Amino acid sequence: MPLVLAPHGETMQIVKVCADGKLCRHLEDLGIVSGADIMLLSDTNGNMIVRVNDSRLALDSSVARSIVVKRKTVTA
């Protein structure tokens, strides 16, 4: 599911980032890569604040739609 549909406060896992060139490299530099954990903290008109690697990041709605996430499975 795209990040814009993720539930608030739940840790999700990034499946893939559907961005090109500079944007993709910038997101990678911020830690938004496949396999990373991400949590939606707040959402206002599609613009989001997320937590990635103990950092808070602001993403606009177009960037958030390019990030595909899934529920994180917990293994014992």
Side-chain angles (χ1 to χ4, degrees):
M1 80 180 87
L3 182 59
V4 295
L5 299 178
H8 288 73
E10 185 174 335
T11 301
M12 306 294 283
Q13 185 174 37
I14 299 172
V15 175
K16 68 179 177 176
V17 179
C18 303
D20 294 325
K22 281 184 167 181
L23 177 58
C24 188
R25 284 189 297 280
H26 180 64
L27 293 173
E28 287 174 356
D29 290 342
L30 294 173
I32 299 176
V33 294
S34 294
D37 291 343
I38 190 167
M39 180 186 293
L40 176 59
L41 300 175
S42 72
D43 176 12
T44 305
N45 297 326
N47 300 312
M48 307 183 146
I49 297 179
V50 298
R51 176 171 292 159
V52 178
N53 298 329
D54 297 326
S55 297
R56 289 183 180 187
L57 305 172
L59 303 174
D60 72 10
S61 58
S62 64
V63 173
R65 278 192 293 275
S66 72
I67 300 169
V68 179
V69 298
K70 67 177 183 177
R71 282 194 156 75
K72 187 172 177 170
T73 55
V74 179
T75 55

